[in-house]
Amino acid sequence: MTFKVHIESGARDFTVAAGESIIDAAARQGVTLPYGCRNGLCGACKGRVVTGQVDYGTYSVYALSEQEKAAGLALFCQARPLTDITIEPRSAGAAGQDAVVKKLPCRVEKKELLAPDVMRLYLKLPNTERLQYVAGQYINIILRDGRRRSFSMAAPQKDLIELHIAKVAGGEFTAHVFGGMKEKDILRIEGPLGDFTLRKDSTRPIIFLAAGTGFAPVKAIIEDALAQGIQRPMYLYWGSVRRAGLYLEGVAQVWVSAAENLKYVPVLSRP
């Protein structure tokens, strides 16, 4: 059984299989909707269900309150249609949101083991292509069967795309990254995507919360902010179970020594 999803803004319709989330179905069919954690925790994918019914799934009340739910809002990373629906996604409003989403081949330029379970990949696009993106956005790696794996770009605009990939138990793609993948291999990517970017029209302090490889988009945003001379106070809290999980802590310490407006606090659950 499948259900039809209509986007009220006029974007093309797509279908959702029974039990599939709206975000997963949209990504599978090349429809770009804003999202962040995909775990019902951050609220980045929040939007309105205009008509139809959904199973709201599992989510944090901090990401979706009962009042918001009563007003018709849902988290599209968790919501699963029970009927045909019409939705109104949140307006991203982020810089770079109008960038052209491309599907491009790229070459694995370099693999670098940053920790026993974290690999840094550098990807090189063809000489005739350039991916215009904003620090904090992500790309999808398109697998041979059409499935997608999403990874944030870990550096602002540069010649090479930098990704930080954590080894996931039972993960088919990450097992390939840590195993059979070789430099010069060809991958196919899609992007730029996402709106986890710095709101530069604000004067408020910036607080970054990251765990594990969630540091990747934060790294890109901080490097971009420092390069632009942004003077707003910035606080980075980077968490891990053990110290080894803070796999580029030296980079954070260099930032702090060079920028008085940046503070870094490691958060460890074990010594």
Side-chain angles (χ1 to χ4, degrees):
M1 179 182 296
T2 61
F3 301 105
K4 180 180 176 182
V5 177
H6 173 68
I7 300 177
E8 195 164 63
S9 63
R12 71 180 179 87
D13 297 347
F14 60 98
T15 58
V16 182
E20 185 179 26
S21 76
I22 295 169
I23 285 293
D24 286 347
R28 176 170 54 79
Q29 295 165 79
V31 177
T32 301
L33 296 176
Y35 72 82
C37 68
R38 296 184 83 150
N39 294 315
L41 299 175
C42 71
C45 64
K46 190 184 303 178
R48 189 175 304 280
V49 179
V50 181
T51 63
Q53 297 180 338
V54 299
D55 175 351
Y56 289 87
T58 303
Y59 58 89
S60 167
V61 295
Y62 297 104
L64 181 69
S65 68
E66 287 301 315
Q67 293 85 349
E68 290 174 320
K69 187 175 173 181
L73 298 179
L75 300 178
F76 294 153
C77 75
Q78 298 298 304
R80 289 158 171 78
L82 299 174
T83 64
D84 292 347
I85 61 173
T86 297
I87 63 172
E88 182 183 357
R90 179 175 60 85
S91 176
Q97 189 65 28
D98 296 329
V100 176
V101 177
K102 300 180 178 181
K103 293 181 181 178
L104 297 168
C106 62
R107 185 178 71 226
V108 178
E109 187 73 8
K110 184 179 179 181
K111 291 174 57 176
E112 180 182 0
L113 195 64
L114 299 177
D117 59 350
V118 179
M119 183 74 73
R120 173 154 56 185
L121 287 188
Y122 288 104
L123 306 180
K124 183 173 178 58
L125 294 172
N127 292 333
T128 56
E129 296 286 354
R130 185 169 179 82
L131 193 68
Q132 297 291 343
Y133 65 91
V134 178
Q137 291 189 294
Y138 69 93
I139 60 170
N140 286 331
I141 293 180
I142 306 173
L143 307 185
R144 291 184 179 181
D145 61 3
R147 289 178 297 161
R148 287 162 167 78
R149 295 295 181 266
S150 302
F151 298 99
S152 295
M153 292 172 279
Q157 201 82 50
K158 292 183 179 179
D159 291 337
L160 297 177
I161 296 173
E162 178 183 343
L163 306 178
H164 300 171
I165 299 179
K167 190 173 186 178
V168 177
E172 179 182 343
F173 178 72
T174 63
H176 175 61
V177 170
F178 282 79
M181 179 179 285
K182 298 179 177 60
E183 294 178 0
K184 310 302 183 185
D185 280 359
I186 300 299
L187 300 175
R188 188 165 178 79
I189 67 170
E190 174 185 47
L193 301 164
D195 66 344
F196 178 63
T197 58
L198 183 62
R199 275 48 173 179
K200 296 178 182 177
D201 57 350
S202 174
T203 59
R204 295 179 178 180
I206 307 165
I207 299 176
F208 297 101
L209 304 176
T213 53
F215 174 70
V218 169
K219 174 180 176 291
I221 293 173
I222 291 177
E223 288 182 346
D224 188 48
L226 294 177
Q228 294 187 48
I230 291 176
Q231 294 301 309
R232 290 160 60 188
M234 295 187 286
Y235 302 88
L236 168 59
Y237 297 85
W238 187 11
S240 177
V241 176
R242 295 185 176 86
R243 198 102 203 178
L246 308 179
Y247 53 87
L248 284 178
E249 190 169 28
V251 170
Q253 291 167 344
V254 169
W255 293 338
V256 170
S257 65
E260 293 183 357
N261 61 317
L262 175 63
K263 307 298 181 186
Y264 165 58
V265 181
V267 181
L268 300 173
S269 57
R270 297 181 189 174

